[in-house]
Amino acid sequence: MSPSGNENVVNLADKASVVAWRQQLKTGFANLKADFSQKPSASRLFKQHCKLIDSLLSAVWAETNIDTHCCLIAVGGYGRGELYPHSDIDLLILMPENASESISGNVEALIGLLWDIGLNVGNSVRTLSECIIEAKKDLTVQTNLMESRFLTGDATLYQQFLSDIDNTLADPAIKLKFYNSKLKEQNNRHAKFNDTAYNLEPNIKESPGSLRDLHQITWITQSLNMASARQAANTWAQLTKLNIISPLEARQIQQHQQNLQLLRIRLHFLSNRREDRLLFDFQNELAADLGFVNTPRKRASEQLMQNYYRSVKFVRLMNEILLKSLQQLVSPTAPIIKPINDHFEAHNQLLEAKTAGLLQQHPSAILEAFLLLQQHPELTGMGATLLRNLQRVKNLVNRDFRQNAHNKKLFITILSQPNGVNHALRAMNRYGILGCYIPAFGKIIGQMQHDLFHVYTVDEHILNVLANLRRFAKPELKHEFPLCSLLFTAFDAPHLLYLAALFHDIAKGRGGDHSTLGTVDAIRFCKLHSLPKADGALVAWLVSAHLQMSSTAQKSDLSDPSVIENFANFVKNERRLTALYLLTVADIRGTSPAVWNAWKARLLESLFNATKHALANQALYAQQAIATRKLEAAERLNKYGLSAHSYEQLWEQFGVNYFIRHESDEIAWHSRLLTPHLNTPKPIVRARLSPSGDGIQVMIYAKDQNDLFARICNFFDRMRYDIVEAKIYTTDHDYALDSFVVLDQSGKSVSYSGLLKFIEGELTQKLDESTTLEAPLQGRISRQVKHMPIETKVSVTTEVDNNNHKLEIVANDRPGLLATLAHTFLLLEIELHNAKINTLGNRAEDSFLISAQKGQKLGAERVAALQEALVTGI
């Protein structure tokens, strides 16, 4: 900042003036908020807010006596008169050419003064020639300048500015470049949100279907006819006048625009900052402010969000229609028309109906249009006229339409195409057809999921699952999931997998078991579409069983042959196993980018391979599995020069159950390290990279002690590592032989030799019984958990063939949770035999195999005490 300029401004704007302006801003803002709470109107708030800032800026400008040849211009959102409570105030200070240093210094000091007053200013200082140069090369500058509004200063300079900008942007080549650049900008912006409007914490301003999508139309309209657009009361009235949209569509756009504007205004006031994300933190309060109340089926916040999703769905649809309509004005040339069939033709690679009344007269053409997009890859989508007509006739997709044999055949044909299934169904959903054709799907559009690991609405998750299945079909993506790609390519009826994906979560939000209710819907659909009985049975079974493989892989000990045998008995044959495996991988990957990892992939693949082997050798699987493990372990040990005689005593002390609980690789690793240390008085800790390729595997061998599990959990908690699997085993000679797989809490597999040695050395010290057992960490819960908590559930079931009990816990995840559980087990004298730790986002689903001390059965009173302690303690 120029010292001389700063002194000049300070002299002209004394401290009393600064205090007065600051108070004027504070009082005016408080009045805005109070008025809005009484009369919540977006247009009223925008007008009053702009008026407040306009008058303040004019007063500051006048008193600071900036050169009379300069002018102050509002640009951006402020320029178009759409100023949200905490939005930046975008300003352009237009300078005369060859401005003196004193003018530049005063302007710089003025900007500092505006910040001192409390205005969040986003400013640029340019001459007229600089504006033209920047507008030509920078799309953002060009967009900003198009939304200019004179505030104060040299009005003649402003008029010259308008004239020069209009002349510059009047060039047809510039208009076409602007359109294409804006389209690319929108595609890039949508990609940042995974091209979905249905995130659970969407951005009202930037997400697909957001306010920015409406701004896109406004900017392109203005670029086509700058002067008239600037003078128009609003873009929608102008587009109606030009017959680009109907009066009804204009009213609908305005209604949904106001809905989004009001939400954003309330969000700014509620958060007391420029916050444009509908975070869980604010959803409940926003819902209450808008009058939504909880019902037995839906929370108030869910109703709020469904209302939001309806708006963004309509906005995104109109954005697509209007962009295609405006493109014809940007490049007004006769379309290249190519016939497709008797009903349809291509206009510049966009599908259009040959006659205006086609869809009304032949409703089956609605589904035919989506099929043609699949069968003609040269088509880039539907044309604006077809899209608009599709909206007008979608009510024809009714019960009679669904009962029509030709329509049913068309839908199954769409699912059975070798390409374009995902794009077709997404387009059907985006244009409102899918929910009409499958009414149960229509009910879950915009349905929230409060389970802390799904980050999308139910309908978006379902379509993500289907998209993941389609990825398995693409040869260029086979490196992502080689086994899934191989299995999918060989699967004889992919359309059955797509149907299972469509129905697997379709009953969410109804109350009751969504798998059971969804199975009923799937059976009804398959019968209605005359699918062969065996195919319908497979789809129904997949819907009912879609959680079983994930649950078994993540909650059971997969090294136990009985677990594999039971799962093999459940799936019954290899075809069902393959279908369930493919659906499960696609389902987990479709919940959230953060939930899937290599560890889960390894578990599911291990379960698939083991079950496939069990199905082929079902009668003798358990005996063969143990014998094979011993043989493979012996072969590995032989490579290290260890004969069977050297580890014979060790294996005998390990006991029979050891070989049931551990794989051959683990047996060889343990035997090689522990053969010289069978009765060691000191704990032995060894760490290695997990053979699965993700995480670190840690072995602990020590004289059994009651607090061993608690000490281990404390240690990894303080390292910020998550335990994802724990095998707790006691040998026949009362030694603990425990094995843990741990991951960095970020979900990354971080390992190096120094870290492995650190774990071995430090954990060995922590296991010393003479040292005090540390209390569990009490970490902070995440904000998602705070605002969308899940009820803690604890269940204890008795194993049929032994004294053990299966303990299952569902709770909000937090740092220190597992260590807290371990301390509870210690206090209540619970013996732990196995643990499977499963974290889904912020939701913990942990499973433990427990008993009383010395392997005794827990009595009913102790089970009740354990449940109470866990529910209250976590």
Side-chain angles (χ1 to χ4, degrees), residues 11 74 101 115 199 283 286 361 377 430 433 468 568 600 637 655 686 695 709 795 798 802 805 807:
N11 289 335
E101 280 193 25
W115 278 98
N199 293 295
Q283 289 178 13
L286 279 171
Q361 296 161 8
R430 190 163 65 250
I433 303 301
N468 288 335
K600 289 184 173 68
L637 290 168
R686 294 292 182 267
F709 184 61
S795 68
T798 304
N802 54 52
H805 304 263
L807 167 66

PDB file of all heavy atoms in Angstrom, residues 11 74 101 115 199 283 286 361 377 430 433 468 568 600 637 655 686 695 709 795 798 802 805 807:
ATOM      1  N   ASN A  11      -6.864  10.770   5.919  1.00  0.00           N
ATOM      2  CA  ASN A  11      -7.203  12.163   6.206  1.00  0.00           C
ATOM      3  C   ASN A  11      -8.626  12.482   5.784  1.00  0.00           C
ATOM      4  O   ASN A  11      -9.350  13.214   6.453  1.00  0.00           O
ATOM      5  CB  ASN A  11      -6.227  13.097   5.475  1.00  0.00           C
ATOM      6  CG  ASN A  11      -4.839  13.045   6.092  1.00  0.00           C
ATOM      7  OD1 ASN A  11      -4.723  12.717   7.269  1.00  0.00           O
ATOM      8  ND2 ASN A  11      -3.821  13.359   5.309  1.00  0.00           N
ATOM      9  N   ALA A  74     -20.159  -2.586  -9.767  1.00  0.00           N
ATOM     10  CA  ALA A  74     -20.472  -3.886  -9.157  1.00  0.00           C
ATOM     11  C   ALA A  74     -20.433  -4.944 -10.247  1.00  0.00           C
ATOM     12  O   ALA A  74     -20.988  -4.746 -11.329  1.00  0.00           O
ATOM     13  CB  ALA A  74     -21.849  -3.843  -8.505  1.00  0.00           C
ATOM     14  N   GLU A 101       0.269   7.934 -10.247  1.00  0.00           N
ATOM     15  CA  GLU A 101       0.589   7.120  -9.073  1.00  0.00           C
ATOM     16  C   GLU A 101      -0.284   7.493  -7.895  1.00  0.00           C
ATOM     17  O   GLU A 101      -0.648   6.643  -7.087  1.00  0.00           O
ATOM     18  CB  GLU A 101       2.070   7.294  -8.710  1.00  0.00           C
ATOM     19  CG  GLU A 101       3.000   6.474  -9.571  1.00  0.00           C
ATOM     20  CD  GLU A 101       4.409   6.435  -8.986  1.00  0.00           C
ATOM     21  OE1 GLU A 101       4.554   6.609  -7.759  1.00  0.00           O
ATOM     22  OE2 GLU A 101       5.343   6.247  -9.758  1.00  0.00           O
ATOM     23  N   TRP A 115     -12.073  -3.044   3.643  1.00  0.00           N
ATOM     24  CA  TRP A 115     -11.872  -4.214   4.518  1.00  0.00           C
ATOM     25  C   TRP A 115     -11.952  -3.810   5.987  1.00  0.00           C
ATOM     26  O   TRP A 115     -12.506  -4.546   6.806  1.00  0.00           O
ATOM     27  CB  TRP A 115     -10.521  -4.870   4.208  1.00  0.00           C
ATOM     28  CG  TRP A 115     -10.572  -5.792   3.018  1.00  0.00           C
ATOM     29  CD1 TRP A 115     -10.196  -5.514   1.741  1.00  0.00           C
ATOM     30  CD2 TRP A 115     -11.047  -7.135   3.006  1.00  0.00           C
ATOM     31  NE1 TRP A 115     -10.413  -6.587   0.933  1.00  0.00           N
ATOM     32  CE2 TRP A 115     -10.926  -7.609   1.674  1.00  0.00           C
ATOM     33  CE3 TRP A 115     -11.557  -7.988   3.976  1.00  0.00           C
ATOM     34  CZ2 TRP A 115     -11.302  -8.893   1.297  1.00  0.00           C
ATOM     35  CZ3 TRP A 115     -11.932  -9.280   3.607  1.00  0.00           C
ATOM     36  CH2 TRP A 115     -11.816  -9.721   2.285  1.00  0.00           C
ATOM     37  N   ASN A 199     -25.363 -36.155  -3.694  1.00  0.00           N
ATOM     38  CA  ASN A 199     -24.533 -36.333  -2.501  1.00  0.00           C
ATOM     39  C   ASN A 199     -25.365 -35.974  -1.280  1.00  0.00           C
ATOM     40  O   ASN A 199     -26.279 -35.144  -1.348  1.00  0.00           O
ATOM     41  CB  ASN A 199     -23.297 -35.427  -2.569  1.00  0.00           C
ATOM     42  CG  ASN A 199     -22.341 -35.841  -3.674  1.00  0.00           C
ATOM     43  OD1 ASN A 199     -21.775 -36.919  -3.632  1.00  0.00           O
ATOM     44  ND2 ASN A 199     -22.174 -34.987  -4.674  1.00  0.00           N
ATOM     45  N   GLN A 283     -28.680 -29.392   8.572  1.00  0.00           N
ATOM     46  CA  GLN A 283     -29.890 -29.921   7.943  1.00  0.00           C
ATOM     47  C   GLN A 283     -31.081 -29.970   8.898  1.00  0.00           C
ATOM     48  O   GLN A 283     -32.210 -29.626   8.512  1.00  0.00           O
ATOM     49  CB  GLN A 283     -29.628 -31.297   7.335  1.00  0.00           C
ATOM     50  CG  GLN A 283     -28.750 -31.238   6.094  1.00  0.00           C
ATOM     51  CD  GLN A 283     -28.444 -32.614   5.511  1.00  0.00           C
ATOM     52  OE1 GLN A 283     -29.067 -33.613   5.875  1.00  0.00           O
ATOM     53  NE2 GLN A 283     -27.463 -32.670   4.612  1.00  0.00           N
ATOM     54  N   LEU A 286     -32.296 -26.330   9.581  1.00  0.00           N
ATOM     55  CA  LEU A 286     -32.912 -25.795   8.372  1.00  0.00           C
ATOM     56  C   LEU A 286     -34.301 -26.392   8.164  1.00  0.00           C
ATOM     57  O   LEU A 286     -35.251 -25.684   7.805  1.00  0.00           O
ATOM     58  CB  LEU A 286     -32.042 -26.093   7.152  1.00  0.00           C
ATOM     59  CG  LEU A 286     -30.853 -25.167   6.890  1.00  0.00           C
ATOM     60  CD1 LEU A 286     -29.981 -25.730   5.778  1.00  0.00           C
ATOM     61  CD2 LEU A 286     -31.321 -23.772   6.520  1.00  0.00           C
ATOM     62  N   GLN A 361     -48.766 -40.287 -29.564  1.00  0.00           N
ATOM     63  CA  GLN A 361     -49.507 -41.259 -30.355  1.00  0.00           C
ATOM     64  C   GLN A 361     -48.981 -42.679 -30.198  1.00  0.00           C
ATOM     65  O   GLN A 361     -49.743 -43.645 -30.290  1.00  0.00           O
ATOM     66  CB  GLN A 361     -49.456 -40.850 -31.835  1.00  0.00           C
ATOM     67  CG  GLN A 361     -50.138 -39.520 -32.128  1.00  0.00           C
ATOM     68  CD  GLN A 361     -49.684 -38.922 -33.446  1.00  0.00           C
ATOM     69  OE1 GLN A 361     -48.979 -39.562 -34.227  1.00  0.00           O
ATOM     70  NE2 GLN A 361     -50.087 -37.676 -33.704  1.00  0.00           N
ATOM     71  N   PRO A 377     -24.119 -45.629 -31.251  1.00  0.00           N
ATOM     72  CA  PRO A 377     -23.100 -44.893 -30.471  1.00  0.00           C
ATOM     73  C   PRO A 377     -22.738 -43.542 -31.060  1.00  0.00           C
ATOM     74  O   PRO A 377     -22.147 -42.711 -30.372  1.00  0.00           O
ATOM     75  CB  PRO A 377     -21.889 -45.850 -30.486  1.00  0.00           C
ATOM     76  CG  PRO A 377     -22.141 -46.782 -31.624  1.00  0.00           C
ATOM     77  CD  PRO A 377     -23.609 -46.911 -31.751  1.00  0.00           C
ATOM     78  N   ARG A 430     -32.817 -39.552 -14.965  1.00  0.00           N
ATOM     79  CA  ARG A 430     -32.673 -38.096 -15.048  1.00  0.00           C
ATOM     80  C   ARG A 430     -33.896 -37.450 -15.682  1.00  0.00           C
ATOM     81  O   ARG A 430     -34.311 -36.359 -15.281  1.00  0.00           O
ATOM     82  CB  ARG A 430     -31.413 -37.757 -15.862  1.00  0.00           C
ATOM     83  CG  ARG A 430     -31.008 -36.300 -15.830  1.00  0.00           C
ATOM     84  CD  ARG A 430     -29.581 -36.106 -16.277  1.00  0.00           C
ATOM     85  NE  ARG A 430     -29.348 -36.451 -17.666  1.00  0.00           N
ATOM     86  CZ  ARG A 430     -28.643 -37.505 -18.065  1.00  0.00           C
ATOM     87  NH1 ARG A 430     -28.107 -38.328 -17.173  1.00  0.00           N
ATOM     88  NH2 ARG A 430     -28.467 -37.756 -19.354  1.00  0.00           N
ATOM     89  N   ILE A 433     -38.315 -41.078 -16.221  1.00  0.00           N
ATOM     90  CA  ILE A 433     -39.000 -42.228 -16.804  1.00  0.00           C
ATOM     91  C   ILE A 433     -38.829 -43.486 -15.948  1.00  0.00           C
ATOM     92  O   ILE A 433     -39.762 -44.267 -15.776  1.00  0.00           O
ATOM     93  CB  ILE A 433     -38.495 -42.501 -18.233  1.00  0.00           C
ATOM     94  CG1 ILE A 433     -38.686 -41.259 -19.105  1.00  0.00           C
ATOM     95  CG2 ILE A 433     -39.196 -43.700 -18.849  1.00  0.00           C
ATOM     96  CD1 ILE A 433     -40.119 -40.778 -19.215  1.00  0.00           C
ATOM     97  N   ASN A 468     -20.888 -49.791 -11.567  1.00  0.00           N
ATOM     98  CA  ASN A 468     -19.738 -50.618 -11.192  1.00  0.00           C
ATOM     99  C   ASN A 468     -19.796 -51.979 -11.870  1.00  0.00           C
ATOM    100  O   ASN A 468     -18.759 -52.525 -12.291  1.00  0.00           O
ATOM    101  CB  ASN A 468     -19.678 -50.783  -9.676  1.00  0.00           C
ATOM    102  CG  ASN A 468     -19.262 -49.510  -8.967  1.00  0.00           C
ATOM    103  OD1 ASN A 468     -18.591 -48.661  -9.554  1.00  0.00           O
ATOM    104  ND2 ASN A 468     -19.659 -49.352  -7.718  1.00  0.00           N
ATOM    105  N   ALA A 568     -20.901 -72.046   1.771  1.00  0.00           N
ATOM    106  CA  ALA A 568     -21.104 -72.857   0.566  1.00  0.00           C
ATOM    107  C   ALA A 568     -22.502 -73.472   0.573  1.00  0.00           C
ATOM    108  O   ALA A 568     -23.173 -73.534  -0.465  1.00  0.00           O
ATOM    109  CB  ALA A 568     -20.038 -73.937   0.472  1.00  0.00           C
ATOM    110  N   LYS A 600     -10.661 -55.063   2.109  1.00  0.00           N
ATOM    111  CA  LYS A 600     -11.989 -55.622   1.839  1.00  0.00           C
ATOM    112  C   LYS A 600     -11.980 -56.450   0.562  1.00  0.00           C
ATOM    113  O   LYS A 600     -12.637 -57.489   0.469  1.00  0.00           O
ATOM    114  CB  LYS A 600     -13.032 -54.504   1.755  1.00  0.00           C
ATOM    115  CG  LYS A 600     -13.363 -53.837   3.085  1.00  0.00           C
ATOM    116  CD  LYS A 600     -14.476 -52.814   2.923  1.00  0.00           C
ATOM    117  CE  LYS A 600     -14.924 -52.261   4.275  1.00  0.00           C
ATOM    118  NZ  LYS A 600     -13.932 -51.439   4.929  1.00  0.00           N
ATOM    119  N   LEU A 637       8.344 -74.245   4.997  1.00  0.00           N
ATOM    120  CA  LEU A 637       9.375 -74.343   6.036  1.00  0.00           C
ATOM    121  C   LEU A 637      10.594 -75.113   5.533  1.00  0.00           C
ATOM    122  O   LEU A 637      11.733 -74.817   5.914  1.00  0.00           O
ATOM    123  CB  LEU A 637       8.789 -75.027   7.275  1.00  0.00           C
ATOM    124  CG  LEU A 637       7.752 -74.182   8.034  1.00  0.00           C
ATOM    125  CD1 LEU A 637       7.017 -75.023   9.064  1.00  0.00           C
ATOM    126  CD2 LEU A 637       8.428 -72.999   8.716  1.00  0.00           C
ATOM    127  N   GLY A 655      -1.850 -77.063  19.203  1.00  0.00           N
ATOM    128  CA  GLY A 655      -3.172 -77.674  19.356  1.00  0.00           C
ATOM    129  C   GLY A 655      -3.909 -77.819  18.026  1.00  0.00           C
ATOM    130  O   GLY A 655      -3.589 -77.155  17.039  1.00  0.00           O
ATOM    131  N   ARG A 686       6.530 -59.705  16.233  1.00  0.00           N
ATOM    132  CA  ARG A 686       7.111 -59.612  14.898  1.00  0.00           C
ATOM    133  C   ARG A 686       6.083 -58.976  13.950  1.00  0.00           C
ATOM    134  O   ARG A 686       4.892 -59.243  14.047  1.00  0.00           O
ATOM    135  CB  ARG A 686       7.517 -60.995  14.363  1.00  0.00           C
ATOM    136  CG  ARG A 686       8.659 -61.635  15.142  1.00  0.00           C
ATOM    137  CD  ARG A 686       9.966 -60.866  14.945  1.00  0.00           C
ATOM    138  NE  ARG A 686      11.071 -61.498  15.646  1.00  0.00           N
ATOM    139  CZ  ARG A 686      11.462 -61.182  16.870  1.00  0.00           C
ATOM    140  NH1 ARG A 686      10.799 -60.226  17.544  1.00  0.00           N
ATOM    141  NH2 ARG A 686      12.479 -61.794  17.433  1.00  0.00           N
ATOM    142  N   GLY A 695      -1.717 -53.123   4.386  1.00  0.00           N
ATOM    143  CA  GLY A 695      -1.572 -53.078   5.837  1.00  0.00           C
ATOM    144  C   GLY A 695      -0.358 -53.846   6.341  1.00  0.00           C
ATOM    145  O   GLY A 695       0.487 -54.324   5.594  1.00  0.00           O
ATOM    146  N   PHE A 709      -5.025 -58.057  25.203  1.00  0.00           N
ATOM    147  CA  PHE A 709      -5.763 -57.420  24.105  1.00  0.00           C
ATOM    148  C   PHE A 709      -5.903 -55.917  24.356  1.00  0.00           C
ATOM    149  O   PHE A 709      -5.760 -55.106  23.435  1.00  0.00           O
ATOM    150  CB  PHE A 709      -7.137 -58.081  23.956  1.00  0.00           C
ATOM    151  CG  PHE A 709      -7.945 -57.568  22.788  1.00  0.00           C
ATOM    152  CD1 PHE A 709      -7.478 -57.698  21.493  1.00  0.00           C
ATOM    153  CD2 PHE A 709      -9.172 -56.958  22.989  1.00  0.00           C
ATOM    154  CE1 PHE A 709      -8.220 -57.236  20.409  1.00  0.00           C
ATOM    155  CE2 PHE A 709      -9.916 -56.484  21.918  1.00  0.00           C
ATOM    156  CZ  PHE A 709      -9.433 -56.632  20.621  1.00  0.00           C
ATOM    157  N   SER A 795     -25.565 -57.286  20.315  1.00  0.00           N
ATOM    158  CA  SER A 795     -26.260 -58.578  20.346  1.00  0.00           C
ATOM    159  C   SER A 795     -25.275 -59.667  20.721  1.00  0.00           C
ATOM    160  O   SER A 795     -24.118 -59.654  20.296  1.00  0.00           O
ATOM    161  CB  SER A 795     -26.904 -58.886  18.994  1.00  0.00           C
ATOM    162  OG  SER A 795     -25.926 -59.118  18.009  1.00  0.00           O
ATOM    163  N   THR A 798     -25.364 -67.414  21.340  1.00  0.00           N
ATOM    164  CA  THR A 798     -24.580 -68.563  21.794  1.00  0.00           C
ATOM    165  C   THR A 798     -24.268 -69.476  20.621  1.00  0.00           C
ATOM    166  O   THR A 798     -25.143 -69.792  19.815  1.00  0.00           O
ATOM    167  CB  THR A 798     -25.350 -69.351  22.868  1.00  0.00           C
ATOM    168  OG1 THR A 798     -25.681 -68.464  23.936  1.00  0.00           O
ATOM    169  CG2 THR A 798     -24.519 -70.500  23.409  1.00  0.00           C
ATOM    170  N   ASN A 802     -20.291 -75.169  20.900  1.00  0.00           N
ATOM    171  CA  ASN A 802     -19.245 -74.939  21.899  1.00  0.00           C
ATOM    172  C   ASN A 802     -19.747 -73.934  22.935  1.00  0.00           C
ATOM    173  O   ASN A 802     -20.910 -73.527  22.904  1.00  0.00           O
ATOM    174  CB  ASN A 802     -17.949 -74.448  21.234  1.00  0.00           C
ATOM    175  CG  ASN A 802     -18.178 -73.221  20.357  1.00  0.00           C
ATOM    176  OD1 ASN A 802     -18.762 -72.228  20.797  1.00  0.00           O
ATOM    177  ND2 ASN A 802     -17.705 -73.303  19.105  1.00  0.00           N
ATOM    178  N   HIS A 805     -19.589 -67.423  22.577  1.00  0.00           N
ATOM    179  CA  HIS A 805     -20.702 -66.542  22.216  1.00  0.00           C
ATOM    180  C   HIS A 805     -20.221 -65.587  21.129  1.00  0.00           C
ATOM    181  O   HIS A 805     -19.067 -65.136  21.149  1.00  0.00           O
ATOM    182  CB  HIS A 805     -21.164 -65.715  23.422  1.00  0.00           C
ATOM    183  CG  HIS A 805     -21.540 -66.543  24.611  1.00  0.00           C
ATOM    184  ND1 HIS A 805     -22.826 -66.894  24.912  1.00  0.00           N
ATOM    185  CD2 HIS A 805     -20.766 -67.104  25.581  1.00  0.00           C
ATOM    186  CE1 HIS A 805     -22.853 -67.612  26.016  1.00  0.00           C
ATOM    187  NE2 HIS A 805     -21.603 -67.761  26.434  1.00  0.00           N
ATOM    188  N   LEU A 807     -20.463 -61.977  19.783  1.00  0.00           N
ATOM    189  CA  LEU A 807     -20.847 -60.625  20.175  1.00  0.00           C
ATOM    190  C   LEU A 807     -20.739 -59.721  18.960  1.00  0.00           C
ATOM    191  O   LEU A 807     -19.680 -59.626  18.337  1.00  0.00           O
ATOM    192  CB  LEU A 807     -19.918 -60.124  21.288  1.00  0.00           C
ATOM    193  CG  LEU A 807     -19.961 -58.619  21.615  1.00  0.00           C
ATOM    194  CD1 LEU A 807     -21.322 -58.238  22.189  1.00  0.00           C
ATOM    195  CD2 LEU A 807     -18.846 -58.245  22.591  1.00  0.00           C
TER     196      LEU A 807
END
